[in-house]
Amino acid sequence: KTTRGPGRTDKPPNTNARTQETSNHTKRRRNIGRTMSDAAAAAALQARLFPHDLRNPQWIASAVRAFYNGVISGTIIRLPYLLNSLVQYAIYRDPRLWEGVRMSVKQIYYHGKNLGGFAFLYKVMCTIMRHFGLRNGLESLIAGFIASYFTAGRSGGVEGSVNYQIILYTLSRSVEALLVAAAENNIYPSDYSPRTAKGFKIFASVVLAVLLYLTDYKPTWFKANFYVTMDFLYYRSNNPSGSLIPPWNYAPIVGVILLTLSLGLIFKPLAHEPLLSLGLIFKPLAHEPLLSLGLIF
């Protein structure tokens, strides 16, 4: 006890109680922040999944816009291939290259049609099912299955080829997302998520290890056009009479890669992004490195 003046006695301040009060206040603020964050996330989800009620005609306009967006997305994805085909035809004037132009136009049509049709059907079915109380993801699975069955389920001809490419691409994205979700839910350590440096190395190693096992021991399980690529990569080089010199039209890029790999053993900056790093040694390559390579080769 301390005495302040005659007849007055005060206790020293209780620092433990003050610390406990501060800790409780911090916890309350965190809980409030977490509650507000959860409420904001719930509101954002509500706005994204339920933008228009079935009684509001805007849901029809939303589905129509989804169709347009699907067509636009498919066109954007395929347009570079069409431009490439047109450039090749314009340069070489080979009638056989015109078939590539026609193929690219068909791929644009089917990609846009199927992606737009899927988006339209999916939006319509989700709006109807959510209006009648089917929610929490089950409606997404049902609508996705039905919409895909009628728009992306064909496997023959040019349309089938386009569908294969769409489905295989989205499959890889779905598998990656499921692996990330499993890591976030502590099913396995988050350090091994495919979106971490260590996790991606393991992910890539597993994928290619399985691919090469199937290539070596189960080649008939692949589609023929894919196996042609694998055969070119791993088995055509077994021919003892094959040349060690690459074809002349691919010799420049092979030479650049071999050069930068060799220089990377001596100059560490070349170990990564070698073409750009060449500018550290050869000043003309600091700008427009691919064009400036003509100064060396």
Side-chain angles (χ1 to χ4, degrees):
K1 294 182 180 181
T2 59
T3 303
R4 299 181 181 176
R8 183 174 179 178
T9 302
D10 294 331
K11 292 183 179 180
N14 190 339
T15 56
N16 292 334
R18 184 173 298 173
T19 302
Q20 184 65 33
E21 181 180 353
T22 302
S23 176
N24 291 337
H25 179 68
T26 302
K27 289 180 179 179
R28 285 196 296 270
R29 290 183 63 183
R30 287 178 179 174
N31 290 335
I32 292 173
R34 188 178 297 111
T35 302
M36 292 177 63
S37 177
D38 292 344
L45 182 66
Q46 179 76 13
R48 182 163 55 88
L49 297 184
F50 310 100
H52 307 294
D53 187 77
L54 195 62
R55 292 163 292 191
N56 185 347
Q58 276 297 321
W59 75 270
I60 301 176
S62 176
V64 171
R65 284 192 291 268
F67 173 78
Y68 293 158
N69 292 344
V71 174
I72 293 170
S73 297
T75 303
I76 291 173
I77 291 170
R78 294 288 174 177
L79 189 58
Y81 300 98
L82 175 60
L83 296 177
N84 180 62
S85 301
L86 288 171
V87 169
Q88 289 192 31
Y89 178 75
I91 293 174
Y92 298 107
R93 296 293 181 176
D94 187 341
R96 292 173 297 180
L97 294 176
W98 184 249
E99 186 60 32
V101 176
R102 294 179 57 193
M103 178 67 69
S104 296
V105 171
K106 290 180 181 179
Q107 289 174 336
I108 288 177
Y109 170 77
Y110 286 120
H111 202 136
K113 177 180 75 74
N114 292 355
L115 199 55
F118 174 85
F120 176 82
L121 289 178
Y122 178 81
K123 293 276 287 188
V124 168
M125 287 188 288
C126 278
T127 301
I128 294 173
M129 286 188 284
R130 287 165 183 163
H131 176 78
F132 290 102
L134 190 62
R135 300 182 179 184
N136 298 323
L138 183 59
E139 82 285 10
S140 298
L141 293 172
I142 295 174
F145 182 90
I146 296 175
S148 178
Y149 186 88
F150 287 104
T151 59
R154 300 179 183 88
S155 59
V158 178
E159 184 176 10
S161 175
V162 170
N163 289 337
Y164 258 104
Q165 293 169 7
I166 294 173
I167 298 305
L168 290 179
Y169 174 78
T170 53
L171 172 64
S172 64
R173 292 300 187 185
S174 299
V175 170
E176 182 208 12
L178 289 173
L179 290 173
V180 171
E184 291 180 353
N185 287 278
N186 299 319
I187 296 177
Y188 67 92
S190 59
D191 290 344
Y192 295 98
S193 169
R195 293 181 184 170
T196 65
K198 183 194 301 183
F200 183 77
K201 286 184 178 181
I202 296 175
F203 178 59
S205 301
V206 170
V207 169
L208 292 179
V210 172
L211 175 68
L212 268 297
Y213 166 78
L214 295 175
T215 300
D216 285 339
Y217 293 98
K218 304 293 181 181
T220 57
W221 292 4
F222 289 118
K223 293 196 67 169
N225 56 353
F226 176 77
Y227 185 74
V228 168
T229 301
M230 305 304 289
D231 178 73
F232 176 78
L233 280 172
Y234 302 107
Y235 305 125
R236 202 171 300 179
S237 58
N238 294 337
N239 184 3
S241 61
S243 174
L244 290 177
I245 301 175
W248 67 270
N249 50 334
Y250 295 104
I253 186 60
V254 173
V256 169
I257 292 174
L258 289 176
L259 175 65
T260 53
L261 288 175
S262 302
L263 291 176
L265 300 175
I266 304 172
F267 303 102
K268 292 302 181 183
L270 292 176
H272 302 286
E273 299 183 357
L275 288 176
L276 298 179
S277 301
L278 277 172
L280 300 176
I281 305 167
F282 304 102
K283 292 302 181 183
L285 292 178
H287 304 285
E288 300 181 351
L290 286 174
L291 297 178
S292 302
L293 280 173
L295 300 176
I296 303 173
F297 301 98

